[in-house]
Amino acid sequence: MAAAMVVGGGGKDRSSPGGGGAPQVDTGKYVRYTPEQVEALERVYSECPKPSSLRRQQLIRECPILSNIEPKQIKVWFQNRRCREKQRKEASRLQTVNRKLTAMNKLLMEENDRLQKQVSRLVYENGYMRQQLHNPSVATTDTSCESVVTSGQHHQQQNAAAPHPQRDANNPAGLLAIAEETLAEFLSKATGTAVDWVQMVGMKPGPDSIGIIAVSHNCSGVAARACGLVSLEPTKVAEILKDRPSWYRDCRCVDILHVIPTGNGGTIELIYMQTYAPTTLAAPRDFWTLRYTSGLEDGSLVICERSLTQSTGGPSGPNTPNFVRAEVLPSGYLIRPCEGGGSMIHIVDHVDLDAWSVPEVLRPLYESPKILAQKTTIAALRHIRQIAHESSGEMPYGGGRQPAVLRTFSQRLSRGFNDAVNGFPDDGWSLMSSDGSEDVTIAINSSPNKLVGSHVNSSQLFSAIGGGILCAKASMLLQNVPPALLVRFLREHRSEWADPGVDAYSAAALRASPYAVPGLRASGFMGSQVILPLAHTLEHEEFLEVIRLEGHSLCHDEVVLSRDMYLLQLCSGVDENAAGACAQLVFAPIDESFADDAPLLPSGFRVIPLDAKTDPPSGTRTLDLASTLEVGSGGTTRASSDASSTCNTRSVLTIAFQFSYENHLRESVAAMARQYVRTVVASVQRVAMAIAPSRLGGQLEMKQTPGSPEAHTLARWIGRSYRFHTGAELLRADTQCTDASLKALWQHSDSIMCCSLKAAPVFTFANQAGLDMLETTLIALQDISLEKILDDDGRKALCTEYPKIMQQGFAYLPGGVCVSSMGRPVSYEQAVAWKVLSDDDTPHCLAFMFVNWSFV
């Protein structure tokens, strides 16, 4: 058949390859096209789907086979061709959405079945516990069934704790037994009820959502689970997930030490993995695991993993100094093929990160399933979705580069920043001697080529006369500052914290004739910054960009240097609604060429939220303000487990800046870097204070009902005792209104804290200024002793004045320096110590007030 075309009226055509013959207009208003004519029109359409009138006339002149077709007929053909293309795309999109909805419906039905099983189990366990409570003898004599105490995860822990005979890599049968146990336990978590899962807030399923995300509740370690759909085949998904360094930003290295094929077509791998520490205040973790890859009878692919320990059996793994061995509990990936293509993925991450080995204030980083979900579980699912989106060919390229190249830049920035924060000795890092203050750590790397890597052209960074990399870093605790908001401000308002002279010094290392002098001074205004987007992830949780710093005018040896500078910048975690997400801003100077192998020295900021902690039971609660603060008007007290309590909103900020140096300028660069980081810390603190919500404003309010008499009583005792001993008023509030006294004490500008009258005094209360000074919370305050925060001079002054305090009731202590719980020095002009007397005039505790305090 020849192609036919309707002319006149609405102008529809019916074009298809067919027989020969010249096009003719007949009474039926159809025109038939030869295959050659259709090919010529399609060729033009691929170049220009909507040609102009002049272009259509030119087409008729250039193609003799179209010479007998009228321009109007050509116009109608292109109109109908565009319409068919649009219909085809829409039909394809609807088919894709339909497949997603079908698969998601299946996933939700399976999740519903799992929840029904969980409800049935809980109802049974609840009934059994009721039976035990009503008939205590049953608890000691009836062993016919397991209660909640001996079932579920506790039962699994008992089984896991049972010792196995030692199995090594030369005994495949023994390792296969471990692998099969791991597979069964993983599936019970992925699709069963072995873990009580709680869906994360804001993670609702839908055709365009990332999937169903849940976190563990009351289980050993921390666990996270994700279920989602991707348009990649199971084998491709498995390949991506096994390449952990490509998507897990905290992964430093993965070494597969043994690979053992199994009789069922699967493989067993013995793996040693190292991960970075997120801050400078904790040690990195490493893992020794068995990974089992196998297929199931329904065509699904499973990759499961667990740590090899003394309780599980198996060979012992490598031991690396400075790393803390953490444990992977049965975890993995269940990848099921979907009808019509694509895969349905179940991801379970379950780890025990040995939280007890880190300072108490940082333990939420290792005890939060939300942080685990964001850093590992959701990151894996997002990476697979990103690869699938890039494979579709619908993603535009940034700066003319392939998505894989831009991803590599993002990975290099993140990895370089992690290397700087951790400073591993086997990468060549070593610590420089301190200047007497512990707030900023300086590390140097005199063999930077080992760190940068052989694939990078490092000749630009390090001169022939010898040099290396210097890193200045610090960590601090922030109160009541949303991490996403802080990082977004730092990104958009660089002039609020950055020094143009330091930027120029960093950029100078990339030039042919660097002026490696750290004493550059700005002789004009700092130019504006222009953000040039390069790429962003599918859900915009991370974006890569080039920052052009314009208008710098810098003086060096009386020579004016004016040149735009460029930074490659990675920003992530700026969604304030993402629970547990780490916010990060990392950047590195680049030159105009922006080569793929350009050396990068990343610097930047990382802010990680700390989950709120709950108060101890009321029976052991000390006399403090913890029971008097509420969140909003809902009446949720600080003793509740509501993690959204603003007063408990804490985060850890880690700052690291890297500089190249020449050997003869090392000390000068170190002094410059140390001072610069201190300046940046002060700027960030100023910014944090400016953007933090009101401490006792809309989020926090005092109780209007007398529900916590202990706190009101303590506030009254503190104010009354101060007035009695010194004759001055501490709290300028209506003494008849206990709420006003309590609020005045909490909002007092000076740091006020109480400690016990014991041989080793510990703090029992501090107002908001006191908590800020100590960089802690009311809950963690009780772990801090008075002796820990005072320096030698402070302890001597207190010992000298202590008899006077006990006899006269108060004493003035000279100004000095103390230390926060994070190790940061704090100066104060004067301290006042006085006895707090109860209503019967017996000593209750000691109170201290640090006047005009500030971080050094």
Side-chain angles (χ1 to χ4, degrees), residues 459-464 506-516 563 591-592 662:
S459 59
Q460 292 175 273
L461 279 178
F462 314 112
S463 68
S506 299
L510 302 174
R511 298 176 184 169
S513 300
Y515 46 97
R563 188 174 183 178
D591 61 14
E592 296 89 336
E662 295 177 353

Side-chain angles (χ1 to χ4, degrees), residues 44-53 55-56 78-79 82:
V44 176
Y45 179 84
S46 63
E47 299 173 357
C48 180
K50 193 175 183 180
S52 64
S53 176
R55 180 69 181 92
R56 292 195 300 270
F78 277 98
Q79 287 176 342
R82 290 194 301 270

Side-chain angles (χ1 to χ4, degrees), residues 542-573:
E542 179 179 282
F543 36 92
L544 185 70
E545 54 202 11
V546 170
I547 308 299
R548 186 171 74 236
L549 304 178
E550 297 179 327
H552 284 270
S553 181
L554 298 167
C555 289
H556 173 63
D557 293 340
E558 307 305 325
V559 178
V560 176
L561 302 169
S562 180
R563 188 174 183 178
D564 289 348
M565 289 180 286
Y566 298 87
L567 301 172
L568 182 64
Q569 182 166 279
L570 180 70
C571 185
S572 60

Side-chain angles (χ1 to χ4, degrees), residues 9-21:
K12 294 192 298 181
D13 77 332
R14 296 179 182 175
S15 302
S16 61

Side-chain angles (χ1 to χ4, degrees), residues 138-452:
V138 175
T140 58
T141 60
D142 185 7
T143 59
S144 58
C145 60
E146 291 181 326
S147 70
V148 66
V149 180
T150 58
S151 64
Q153 68 176 48
H154 187 72
H155 183 60
Q156 292 177 2
Q157 292 169 7
Q158 287 180 327
N159 291 339
H164 292 276
Q166 191 72 11
R167 304 154 174 168
D168 55 39
N170 297 320
N171 186 353
L175 293 180
L176 181 59
I178 299 176
E180 294 292 347
E181 294 170 4
T182 304
L183 174 60
E185 291 187 44
F186 158 65
L187 291 177
S188 68
K189 298 174 184 179
T191 61
T193 60
V195 172
D196 290 338
W197 299 111
V198 178
Q199 185 168 321
M200 284 185 67
V201 177
M203 296 293 182
K204 296 182 179 180
D208 297 320
S209 72
I210 188 173
I212 304 173
I213 313 297
V215 294
S216 60
H217 176 67
N218 290 337
C219 76
S220 61
V222 289
R225 173 177 172 266
C227 307
L229 307 170
V230 293
S231 56
L232 294 175
E233 296 304 313
T235 53
K236 179 64 176 177
V237 172
E239 177 186 340
I240 295 172
L241 290 172
K242 281 190 169 185
D243 185 16
R244 192 171 280 138
S246 69
W247 55 265
Y248 183 30
R249 293 290 172 83
D250 282 355
C251 179
R252 186 192 183 209
C253 65
V254 174
D255 294 328
I256 302 176
L257 302 184
H258 296 282
V259 179
I260 305 170
T262 61
N264 57 7
T267 57
I268 293 175
E269 299 163 295
L270 300 185
I271 298 175
Y272 176 68
M273 180 176 73
Q274 293 180 351
T275 60
Y276 293 103
T279 77
T280 61
L281 304 173
R285 266 52 182 165
D286 64 354
F287 301 85
W288 171 240
T289 63
L290 177 147
R291 185 167 70 188
Y292 180 39
T293 305
S294 179
L296 301 182
E297 294 180 356
D298 62 356
S300 300
L301 193 59
V302 177
I303 305 170
C304 57
E305 189 170 7
R306 83 178 309 161
S307 287
L308 294 178
T309 63
Q310 290 183 348
S311 61
T312 63
S316 300
N319 287 316
T320 306
N322 304 319
F323 280 83
V324 174
R325 178 60 51 87
E327 183 178 359
V328 175
L329 302 170
S331 307
Y333 316 102
L334 171 61
I335 310 167
R336 302 157 65 181
C338 292
E339 295 181 7
S343 304
M344 182 186 300
I345 311 173
H346 295 255
I347 302 176
V348 173
D349 290 300
H350 194 176
V351 296
D352 184 347
L353 298 174
D354 192 13
W356 292 102
S357 64
V358 300
E360 195 274 342
V361 71
L362 294 179
R363 286 176 194 164
L365 293 181
Y366 299 84
E367 296 174 335
S368 169
K370 294 178 184 177
I371 293 180
L372 175 70
Q374 291 286 355
K375 293 172 65 173
T376 309
T377 316
I378 298 176
L381 197 52
R382 279 179 172 155
H383 183 72
I384 297 170
R385 284 165 52 86
Q386 184 72 24
I387 298 295
H389 185 61
E390 294 173 3
S391 302
S392 67
E394 299 178 1
M395 187 173 182
Y397 298 165
R401 286 178 164 86
Q402 295 279 350
V405 175
L406 297 176
R407 268 203 321 276
T408 300
F409 276 119
S410 299
Q411 291 165 359
R412 287 178 56 197
L413 283 172
S414 182
R415 184 177 183 86
F417 184 69
N418 276 324
D419 283 327
V421 169
N422 285 260
F424 293 113
D426 57 344
D427 282 334
W429 289 103
S430 60
L431 295 178
M432 284 188 69
S433 58
S434 171
D435 64 351
S437 178
E438 300 296 332
D439 57 333
V440 178
T441 301
I442 301 292
I444 59 171
N445 194 325
S446 56
S447 56
N449 289 325
K450 180 179 180 181
L451 178 67
V452 173

